[in-house]
Amino acid sequence: MLEVLAILVVSYLIGSIPVAYIVVRKRADMDIRDTGSGNAGGFNAYVVTKSRLTGILVGVLDAVKGLAPVLVAGLFFPNSFLHGCLALIGAILGHNYPIWTGFKGGRGLSTSAGGMFSLGFSYAVVWCTIWVVSKYVLKRDILVSNVTAIFTTPLLLWLLPWEWVSRLISAKVENWTFVFFSCVLSIILLLSHLDAVNEIWKGPPK
């Protein structure tokens, strides 16, 4: 129990480093929480600073916040998918609800992608594929594409042949365990997109 708590706390603290807040404050002397969408993530950093480089920098650093705890957990608990999952969950919660900035953070997408790059890249590949189809083929906006990918990725991972999915997973894990964690991850990401879900539910203004 203590090791679980330790993983969650350390990962939360790493994830809670307010990268977007620091970078935007340094480069544009603005509080990202009070500008644009108020989301402390890479896309809003790009929007408020009008700098693609700034947006990419924030996105990459946010991804590192997800990757680092998973790699560290892997050093202490080799080939343990469960410990890697706990590390990633802690990092995402830290990013989305950082104690240093009044629990107002980002949506967790880059942090999730960074962690899943090591833990289970299949999730990231499927998520990005769905997002691209929604955004560029169906011509949906970014938030709608995010929500669509979040909802449908676990379902598609369940439907795809396990031989395909498992090729991009580093740790030993069973099909149902991976799909279950994919559902948990999607729920966490969905909670940070409730505003978008609410807008989609309301439909276009009449």
Side-chain angles (χ1 to χ4, degrees):
M1 184 62 186
L2 286 178
E3 69 183 30
V4 170
L5 183 61
I7 290 172
L8 288 173
V9 170
V10 172
S11 299
Y12 173 87
L13 292 175
I14 294 174
S16 68
I17 299 172
V19 169
Y21 175 84
I22 294 171
V23 172
V24 172
R25 176 69 78 182
K26 183 73 173 177
R27 288 179 170 249
D29 194 27
M30 292 187 293
D31 187 336
I32 192 171
R33 298 170 299 171
D34 299 327
T35 52
S37 66
N39 172 51
F43 183 72
N44 196 38
Y46 158 68
V47 171
V48 301
T49 64
K50 297 180 174 57
S51 168
R52 191 180 300 273
L53 179 61
T54 298
I56 292 173
L57 175 62
V58 170
V60 170
L61 291 177
D62 282 344
V64 171
K65 294 195 302 183
L67 176 62
V70 172
L71 292 179
V72 172
L75 292 176
F76 287 94
F77 307 97
N79 297 317
S80 173
F81 184 76
L82 175 59
H83 289 89
C85 291
L86 292 173
L88 181 54
I89 288 172
I92 297 170
L93 293 177
H95 174 77
N96 290 0
Y97 313 103
I99 189 172
W100 320 112
T101 54
F103 300 100
K104 189 174 181 181
R107 298 188 187 276
L109 295 177
S110 294
T111 304
S112 299
M116 293 306 282
F117 180 82
S118 171
L119 193 59
F121 196 52
S122 301
Y123 183 97
V125 170
V126 171
W127 194 97
C128 289
T129 300
I130 296 171
W131 190 91
V132 168
V133 170
S134 177
K135 178 70 171 67
Y136 295 105
V137 177
L138 301 180
K139 305 298 183 182
R140 308 302 184 190
D141 65 32
I142 288 178
L143 288 179
V144 170
S145 299
N146 287 354
V147 172
T148 301
I150 290 169
F151 266 116
T152 56
T153 294
L155 176 61
L156 193 54
L157 286 170
W158 175 57
L159 293 174
L160 286 172
W162 178 238
E163 310 86 73
W164 297 3
V165 176
S166 61
R167 288 177 183 174
L168 297 176
I169 303 175
S170 57
K172 293 181 180 179
V173 58
E174 296 180 353
N175 182 5
W176 287 107
T177 302
F178 186 73
V179 172
F180 175 76
F181 176 66
S182 298
C183 292
V184 172
L185 182 57
S186 285
I187 290 171
I188 294 173
L189 294 176
L190 190 62
L191 290 174
S192 65
H193 284 77
L194 288 180
D195 57 334
V197 173
N198 188 46
E199 290 299 320
I200 295 170
W201 183 262
K202 288 180 180 178
K206 297 180 181 180

